[in-house]
Amino acid sequence: EIPDTQWAQVVEKIGGPPVYKQIPVRKPGPDEVLVKMKYTGVCHTDLHAMNGDWPLEVKKNLVGGHEGAGIVVAKGSLAHGIEIGDHAGIKWLNGSCLQCEFCETSDEPLCLEAQLSGYTVDGTFQQYTIGKAAHVLKLSKEIPLDAVAPILCAGITVYKGLKESGVRPGQTVAIVGAGGGLGSLGTQYAKAMGLRVVAIDGGEEKKAMCEQLGAEVYVDFTKSTDLVADVKAATPGGLGAHAVLLLAVSEKPFQQAVEYARSRGTIIAIGLPANAFLKAPVFETVVKMVTIRGSYVGNRQDGVEAVEFFERGLINAPFKTVPLQELPEVFELMKQGKIAGRYVLEIPE
Ligand code: 8ID
Ligand code: ZN
């Protein structure tokens, strides 16, 4: 029995805070499923959405959240490949048209009709979330729903970013923002892929976490007096990083990465600080033959692969669990840059 109303965190005005209140439970359309949420991660994107940081319009009265794991409780007549009772993940990409050139060539995130969980459609900060059947990620019942939640955005995104960078086993990746949600998972995926990690972030708690997760060197951007030199010194031969994953919510690193990238290296922009620009010295970019590219979540198969790494026990990033009611407090800590790893919200029964 699915109730008519449910608890949700609703952003009623730009800047928030979200309001914990009762709202209706929607019925799934023909090509949709209804997932009873058990756990959801809190991504910095949810804070950007609440604050209206980006040049992309946010749904009014938004229920945020886009890394949710739960159980399918209802489905439409055209929802194939997933059944009531299956465990399922809701991702940032809630749906896409499935017939444009991007969808046809496995670039669903680039679909012009893409629907985004917790941004253009209601997301996972509620008891019952709707997703397009073609895009929900079916999860085996052995997978713990709390630990897998952050994989559904953060994990997929960093895994895809590492693939896009073209780095090979044995090479070095500098992870900027390594102590955050994406960064902690990025370090684990990099290790699992046979890469060497230089972690860049601030503070002792994040240092301890990054080292425990397998980073070879931690460079503290709040303490270093010459970050470029410190990062280069941490790479083999002092030549710089083969790849740089930019995950920080700060513009500075986006302008600095070329300086510690190795010649022929690749810089992957993933973090989305508000009103920020990528700026690079033309001279160094040219004579070092550096590649700079963006990477945006992942396609459906990237999701399957990212979860496979997790299922094989290769990904163990720390997370803290608090009830859905405490989302405003989590956002406050996130604003202050005080979260090492990820927060996961437990959804009430
Ligand atoms: O598909 C995508 N491209 C995608 C997917 C998911 C998330 C992009 N994102 C974006 C988010 O919207 C956000 O802008 O990635 C960014 C990081 O998300 P997150 O990991 O969820 O944020 P966090 O947990 O707050 O971690 C950010 C870390 O950056 C560090 C902070 O200390 C924190 O640990 N940091 C900052 I702020 N400035 C830094 C600097 N100058 C820095 N680390 C190193 N150098
Ligand atoms: Zn996210």
Side-chain angles (χ1 to χ4, degrees):
E1 2 55 75
I2 298 158
D4 294 332
T5 61
Q6 58 167 338
W7 287 105
Q9 289 280 10
V10 184
V11 176
E12 298 184 326
K13 59 176 198 305
I14 295 290
V19 180
Y20 191 63
K21 61 189 283 196
Q22 288 269 326
I23 62 167
V25 176
R26 272 190 49 215
K27 298 218 172 352
D31 59 346
E32 294 175 336
V33 296
L34 184 67
V35 182
K36 184 173 199 288
M37 287 287 115
K38 293 291 183 187
Y39 294 94
T40 173
V42 184
C43 179
H44 208 114
T45 291
D46 300 310
L47 185 54
H48 291 302
M50 183 172 80
N51 289 336
D53 277 347
W54 299 337
L56 174 64
E57 206 180 329
V58 186
K59 174 188 174 287
K60 300 277 173 273
N61 291 314
L62 176 72
V63 177
H66 57 270
E67 28 176 64
I71 299 164
V72 177
V73 290
K75 58 178 259 183
S77 57
L78 302 175
H80 300 304
I82 188 141
E83 302 302 329
I84 289 171
D86 281 347
H87 290 192
I90 298 275
K91 300 168 292 180
W92 174 248
L93 212 64
N94 191 278
S96 72
C97 82
L98 303 178
Q99 56 194 22
C100 68
E101 186 179 332
F102 296 112
C103 286
E104 297 266 22
T105 56
S106 73
D107 266 333
E108 303 98 78
L110 307 184
C111 174
L112 296 176
E113 314 273 298
Q115 291 162 311
L116 311 175
S117 307
Y119 201 96
T120 65
V121 297
D122 285 342
T124 57
F125 298 156
Q126 57 182 340
Q127 289 176 294
Y128 294 88
T129 304
I130 286 183
K132 295 287 182 194
H135 276 280
V136 295
L137 209 170
K138 187 172 160 181
L139 300 167
S140 103
K141 287 186 177 154
E142 280 75 59
I143 296 178
L145 294 175
D146 53 355
V148 80
I151 305 295
L152 297 166
C153 171
I156 291 171
T157 301
V158 294
Y159 171 64
K160 177 70 160 186
L162 287 166
K163 284 209 299 189
E164 289 285 310
S165 79
V167 280
R168 295 193 303 273
Q171 296 186 329
T172 299
V173 57
I175 303 186
V176 187
L182 267 63
S184 55
L185 284 160
T187 303
Q188 289 273 285
Y189 277 95
K191 292 286 292 177
M193 293 161 88
L195 305 169
R196 305 174 65 171
V197 176
V198 176
I200 307 165
D201 211 309
E204 291 302 310
E205 187 187 2
K206 290 177 185 174
K207 175 178 199 277
M209 184 195 75
C210 289
E211 287 174 351
Q212 190 263 322
L213 289 176
E216 285 184 25
V217 182
Y218 177 81
V219 178
D220 191 324
F221 79 95
T222 65
K223 290 190 183 144
S224 171
T225 52
D226 189 344
L227 187 83
V228 172
D230 288 348
V231 174
K232 285 180 85 170
T235 64
L239 289 174
H242 293 89
V244 181
L245 283 196
L246 290 170
L247 311 173
V249 192
S250 155
E251 189 177 32
K252 179 82 186 283
F254 286 79
Q255 318 216 336
Q256 206 173 34
V258 166
E259 299 179 54
Y260 51 73
R262 187 185 175 100
S263 292
R264 276 269 184 218
T266 303
I267 294 166
I268 302 289
I270 290 177
L272 289 158
N275 308 309
F277 287 83
L278 263 163
K279 196 170 122 192
V282 170
F283 183 79
E284 287 197 291
T285 308
V286 172
V287 304
K288 290 170 69 179
M289 298 183 71
V290 169
T291 302
I292 303 174
R293 62 200 302 189
S295 188
Y296 181 43
V297 288
N299 63 29
R300 288 173 289 174
Q301 180 61 18
D302 294 318
V304 170
E305 292 171 16
V307 167
E308 259 170 27
F309 272 76
F310 174 80
E311 209 174 350
R312 290 166 58 212
L314 297 169
I315 309 298
N316 288 296
F319 61 92
K320 293 196 183 88
T321 309
V322 297
L324 177 63
Q325 287 95 309
E326 285 179 33
L327 178 62
E329 287 83 359
V330 175
F331 277 155
E332 203 42 55
L333 289 171
M334 189 176 266
K335 246 181 235 168
Q336 297 167 20
K338 285 192 180 150
I339 301 175
R342 207 41 145 205
Y343 267 92
V344 169
L345 306 177
E346 183 171 5
I347 310 296
E349 267 306 306

